[in-house]
Amino acid sequence: MLGEKKGRFGCALWCAAAIFTGLTLPGSATAAPAPIEIRVVVVTTFEVGNDTGDAAGEFQNWVEHYPLPDILPFPQGFHHLRYNANDHVLGIVTGVGKSQAASSIMALGLDPRFDLSKAYWILAGIAGIDPNRASVGSAAWASSIVDGDLAYEIDGREIPAHWSSGIVPYDRATPLEQPAPPAVSVNGEMAHELNDGLVTWACDLTRSVVLADDDKLKAARAGYPDFPNAQRPPFVMKGDTLTADRFWIGARMNDWAEQWVPYWTKGVGRFTTSAEEDAAYLQALTFLAHAGRVDLTRALDLRTGSDFTVPPKGVSAADFLKSEATGNYAGNAEAIENAYRVGSPVVRELAQHWPRYRETVPGVKP
């Protein structure tokens, strides 16, 4: 993969790699150079094949179109990093799922090559989307990230008839039992609240972005005649994310998600997208913030709908899973494209007007 790297930045990359691994150039001083100040970190979760020139995963548009031309070795993480030296923008692929996401973000946050203390972070990825809230291809900026894995669970065939689901909060005996436990406890961090001023600023900045739409998305929308928001062409909105390593689908699970998010956010959060990595991404940033390595008020989370969380009208959840399990999502390519279309104006604004945003977080009243 390092063979892809060309051009003037090659020596700088070699030096950075040498410093990281404890090596020094012949005749050079042993003191490490000052770390590179990063302005924005673009977080993606997967790539398909190479970074360039083939079918695009979440990373490829950033590499090719932002662009992120320079490769930085990252052996302690899932995938090498990409970098734009002019804008000081760093790109990472964390790997799919909570374990890889948390480990990769923590590894990056502790990497001595980078000064991330003022960096903005933006996760830009695809997700399932609630047809009650939006259509496939739509983009949602989250103010709340809720964990959907940390809980008790009883198999659906054994739950009492009056229960809404078989998922029960830790330290409670029934689903959604009031009062809700503390969101942060020995059991883990159930809800991460992002800086809503920054989230609102990012959403307002991108609300008028023209999103990819096509006959494939129109056909997908046609399967949801009873969901007005699912009928709309793709649009940009604020909406919250439920994170779970289990890939769940179906009307009953969707009902659970729509209740689980407000339960843990004191009624404020509204479930919009389902994804795997977001709570892990925020958990790693939270610990890094405790160590003074990052500023948690600068974190953003963007998800675009690649598929609905509920099957089309007349289709069972089991039959819907048959297509979902093969990756045949209704709007996969369009969601990947829209994640870049919506995320990139925010990254450019922050990185290319750095004197404005280095000390002052946008959207936050002084």
Side-chain angles (χ1 to χ4, degrees):
M1 299 295 284
L2 292 178
E4 297 178 29
K5 176 66 192 77
K6 304 288 184 183
R8 61 177 177 80
F9 204 60
C11 179
L13 297 185
W14 196 96
C15 293
I19 291 164
F20 177 74
T21 56
L23 302 174
T24 56
L25 294 169
S28 66
T30 57
I36 303 168
E37 183 181 52
I38 301 300
R39 298 173 183 175
V40 184
V41 180
V42 176
V43 179
T44 64
T45 69
F46 75 95
E47 186 47 58
V48 181
N50 297 320
D51 290 352
T52 62
D54 55 8
E58 291 175 350
F59 200 43
Q60 186 161 305
N61 281 335
W62 294 95
V63 173
E64 293 183 339
H65 302 311
Y66 186 83
L68 302 175
D70 302 312
I71 295 175
L72 298 177
F74 191 55
Q76 72 274 36
F78 177 78
H79 189 84
H80 56 249
L81 306 173
R82 286 278 192 161
Y83 184 58
N84 181 303
N86 291 328
D87 286 1
H88 290 240
V89 172
L90 190 65
I92 181 173
V93 181
T94 64
V96 172
K98 284 182 173 180
S99 295
Q100 294 187 116
S103 299
S104 292
I105 295 298
M106 183 61 70
L108 177 58
L110 297 176
D111 194 317
R113 293 174 292 178
F114 310 114
D115 175 2
L116 297 162
S117 60
K118 299 291 185 181
Y120 293 85
W121 297 72
I122 173 172
L123 188 156
I126 65 174
I129 200 157
D130 183 354
N132 281 311
R133 297 279 285 145
S135 54
V136 283
S138 294
W141 293 98
S143 293
S144 299
I145 307 295
V146 175
D147 196 299
D149 286 326
L150 301 175
Y152 304 121
E153 184 172 8
I154 296 175
D155 187 282
R157 291 163 293 189
E158 298 179 284
I159 65 174
H162 63 283
W163 281 19
S164 58
S165 76
I167 300 173
V168 177
Y170 284 136
D171 299 328
R172 296 295 182 266
T174 58
L176 307 173
E177 182 177 332
Q178 296 290 345
V184 181
S185 71
V186 68
N187 296 314
E189 191 153 351
M190 296 301 304
H192 300 265
E193 301 301 327
L194 281 69
N195 179 346
D196 189 62
L198 176 63
V199 174
T200 300
W201 172 84
C203 187
D204 290 344
L205 183 68
T206 56
R207 201 178 292 277
S208 62
V209 170
V210 177
L211 301 183
D213 192 15
D214 53 29
D215 290 341
K216 185 180 177 184
L217 295 191
K218 292 175 184 177
R221 296 197 293 267
Y224 296 82
D226 302 323
F227 297 86
N229 283 325
Q231 292 287 300
R232 297 173 59 184
F235 60 98
V236 178
M237 65 182 298
K238 288 175 65 177
D240 301 313
T241 296
L242 177 66
T243 303
D245 271 333
R246 290 173 302 138
F247 188 111
W248 58 265
I249 58 173
R252 292 191 177 184
M253 290 300 298
N254 202 68
D255 288 344
W256 161 75
E258 289 180 340
Q259 296 175 73
W260 191 254
V261 170
Y263 179 78
W264 288 108
T265 58
K266 297 181 172 60
V268 175
R270 293 192 67 186
F271 168 66
T272 303
T273 58
S274 64
E276 292 180 82
E277 298 81 19
D278 308 52
Y281 154 69
L282 263 298
Q283 185 65 79
L285 289 182
T286 298
F287 288 158
L288 290 167
H290 293 170
R293 303 284 300 183
V294 307
D295 181 352
L296 195 58
T297 68
R298 297 175 180 231
L300 288 165
D301 189 277
L302 172 68
R303 286 288 183 174
T304 51
S306 59
D307 56 318
F308 286 114
T309 53
V310 174
K313 189 172 185 177
V315 177
S316 70
D319 286 340
F320 190 45
L321 177 60
K322 291 178 183 177
S323 60
E324 295 282 291
T326 60
N328 186 29
Y329 304 147
N332 186 71
E334 295 85 351
I336 287 171
E337 172 66 21
N338 288 341
Y340 177 75
R341 288 193 189 186
V342 177
S344 56
V346 173
V347 175
R348 291 189 195 281
E349 174 65 21
L350 293 169
Q352 295 178 1
H353 299 90
W354 190 236
R356 182 184 305 167
Y357 300 118
R358 186 182 189 275
E359 300 300 331
T360 303
V361 178
V364 178
K365 295 179 181 179

